[in-house]
């Protein structure tokens, strides 16, 4: 009989060499510096900070960020909210629409469970059908007045969910106010497309337009007699813009925690803290020819929707190029300036192109203290919301 996957995980105290490959590894020192920088920024700007757990999917890390000053966590799925709540995160916001009656019943049950533990569940809506379904699900559970905070999502440039800014949002705010179980809490205004615009000026321009739309919408709703308590949004690529707007009160940054190769391609914004790459796929060279080497980390170990991973620079070999090798293999080509390849058995460290779906491919992350070369395993981080798609 073969050992269960958990039995093959490294033990705390073992060196990085003991980590079998491919494995998802967190540089804890870099990650904690990222947390400290984000927490300091939010505190200095007087902003609430609600990091997105859809990125790391790990309740232990969400709790760690709450301890560092976060107000709670964002999620995108009902199942993610359930996983985070089971792991001790008590203030959760589903920044996405939920409309299926079965899911809304789960949302209502979770809202009451969190309330019973001194917590709170909030949600975004962009349709009257979603509002009515949510109110019905809460009423069926016997929820009391204002049992859930509800945010109206407006489309400020993402081109995905959300109603147009302005009067369409007013109608939804009024609809929320008609249900005793619901509390209209404000606006969800996330400009996702702006996060990966490469130039600083491009990102600033996109967020300036989003701020105008969100401000206009807030004015329309307040003119109708409904207070807009909070405007929430922002991501790792632009959060300094939202913080400086005088409009947003909460930042939903997520990828700052680990960063990825795609975010690394953005021109840095001097108004934002610099974050370090902290998430890596450890791989091993299993084959070598005259002009390339092959490692054991293919698409099953890292997502490629935002491009292939980058290879972490090696002091002797320089920066290798990663090429598509299929499901199980990665092709490594030499740094043109050095022309050197790693030997069979050598370790290579890959920076995933997109951290969120990469994490979802793994059951655990290995937390390493002291660097990738000479560090030791300190923690095993369970990916609690892996596959939490519903």
């Amino acid at each position: 009989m073969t050992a269960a996957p958990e039995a093959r995980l490294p033990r705390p105290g073992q060196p990085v060499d003991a980590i079998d490959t491919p494995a998802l590894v967190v540089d804890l020192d870099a990650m904690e510096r990222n947390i400290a920088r984000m927490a300091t920024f939010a505190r200095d700007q007087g902003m609430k900070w609600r990091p997105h757990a859809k990125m790391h999917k790990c309740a232990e890390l969400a709790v760690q960020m709450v301890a560092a000053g976060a107000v709670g966590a964002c999620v995108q799925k009902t199942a993610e909210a359930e996983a985070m709540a089971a792991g001790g995160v008590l203030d959760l916001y589903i920044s996405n629409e939920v409309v299926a009656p079965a899911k809304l019943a789960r949302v209502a049950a979770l809202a009451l469970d969190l309330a019973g533990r001194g917590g709170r569940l909030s949600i975004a809506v962009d349709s009257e059908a979603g509002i009515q379904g949510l109110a019905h699900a809460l009423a069926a559970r016997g929820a009391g007045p204002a049992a859930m905070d509800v945010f109206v999502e407006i489309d400020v440039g993402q081109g995905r969910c959300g109603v147009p800014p302005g009067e369409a949002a007013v109608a939804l705010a009024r609809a929320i106010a008609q249900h005793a179980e619901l509390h209209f809490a404000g606006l969800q205004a996330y400009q996702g497309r702006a996060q990966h615009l490469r130039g600083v000026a491009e990102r600033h321009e996109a967020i300036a337009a989003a701020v105008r739309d969100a401000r206009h919408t807030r004015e329309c709703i307040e003119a109708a007699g409904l207070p807009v308590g909070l405007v929430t949004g922002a991501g790792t690529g632009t959060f300094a813009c939202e913080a400086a707007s005088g409009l947003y009160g909460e930042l939903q940054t997520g990828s700052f925690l680990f960063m990825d190769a795609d975010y690394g391609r953005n021109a840095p914004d001097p108004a934002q803290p610099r974050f370090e790459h902290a998430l890596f796929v450890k791989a091993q060279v299993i084959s070598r020819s005259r002009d390339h080497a092959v490692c054991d980390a293919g698409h099953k170990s890292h997502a490629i929707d935002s491009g292939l991973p980058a290879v972490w620079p090696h002091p002797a070999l320089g920066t290798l190029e990663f090429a598509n090798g299929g499901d199980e293999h990665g092709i490594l080509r030499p740094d043109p300036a050095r022309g050197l390849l790693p030997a069979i058995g050598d370790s290579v460290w890959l920076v995933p192109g997109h951290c969120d779906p990469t994490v979802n491919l793994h059951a655990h992350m290995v937390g390493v203290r002291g660097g990738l070369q000479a560090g030791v395993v300190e923690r095993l981080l369970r990916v609690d919301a892996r596959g939490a798609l519903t």
Side-chain angles (χ1 to χ4, degrees), residues 253-269:
T253 52
S255 294
F256 80 92
L257 182 69
F258 290 158
M259 298 300 285
D260 52 35
D262 193 64
Y263 263 117
R265 299 182 189 109
N266 280 3
D269 186 342

Side-chain angles (χ1 to χ4, degrees), residues 120-367:
R120 187 78 171 172
L121 180 65
S122 308
I123 197 167
V125 298
D126 72 353
S127 69
E128 292 200 20
I131 294 167
Q132 292 167 2
L134 178 62
H136 176 77
L138 287 166
R141 288 271 175 176
M148 279 192 70
D149 286 340
V150 183
F151 291 81
V152 172
E153 181 166 9
I154 57 174
D155 183 1
V156 291
Q158 172 79 1
R160 194 168 60 190
C161 296
V163 295
E167 292 302 320
V170 177
L172 292 185
R174 283 174 168 154
I176 293 166
Q178 291 172 2
H179 296 279
E181 299 85 2
L182 309 180
H183 171 244
F184 171 60
L187 298 174
Q188 162 77 10
Y190 173 63
Q191 217 301 21
R193 288 185 175 180
Q195 304 311 311
H196 297 279
L197 296 173
R198 299 306 179 205
V200 176
E202 293 177 279
R203 297 198 295 275
H204 283 221
E205 182 179 351
I207 298 305
V211 169
R212 288 193 295 270
D213 285 342
R215 180 171 283 115
H216 169 64
T217 304
R218 184 183 69 175
E219 291 170 351
C220 290
I221 293 173
E222 291 185 339
L226 294 169
V228 178
L230 180 69
V231 178
T232 181
T236 295
T238 68
F239 65 88
C241 299
E242 284 91 345
S245 69
L247 178 71
Y248 283 75
E250 183 175 81
L251 306 175
Q252 297 176 5
T253 52
S255 294
F256 80 92
L257 182 69
F258 290 158
M259 298 300 285
D260 52 35
D262 193 64
Y263 263 117
R265 299 182 189 109
N266 280 3
D269 186 342
Q272 297 193 174
R274 294 292 295 272
F275 299 114
E276 304 172 49
H277 292 296
L279 185 72
F280 301 88
V281 174
K282 184 191 177 191
Q284 185 181 51
V285 175
I286 59 172
S287 178
R288 176 175 161 167
S289 69
R290 182 180 58 82
D291 61 356
H292 72 272
V294 180
C295 70
D296 60 355
H299 305 333
K300 287 183 180 178
S301 64
H302 54 79
I304 61 172
D305 60 301
S306 294
L308 295 170
V311 184
W312 195 241
H314 187 281
L317 304 177
T319 302
L320 303 173
E321 177 190 345
F322 186 96
N324 185 348
D327 291 351
E328 312 292 353
H329 305 90
I331 307 299
L332 302 171
R333 304 196 188 282
D335 185 328
R338 304 192 188 187
L340 301 175
L341 286 168
I344 290 176
D346 282 356
S347 294
V348 291
W349 298 85
L350 309 178
V351 181
H354 189 183
C355 45
D356 306 37
T358 294
V359 171
N360 197 52
L361 295 170
H362 296 260
H364 294 83
M365 297 175 280
V366 181

Side-chain angles (χ1 to χ4, degrees), residues 3-30:
E6 290 77 7
R8 295 193 291 271
L9 291 170
R11 297 184 302 277
Q14 289 187 304
V16 293
D17 289 345
I19 302 172
D20 199 4
T21 59
L24 196 60
V25 176
V26 177
D27 181 336
L28 296 174
D29 300 302

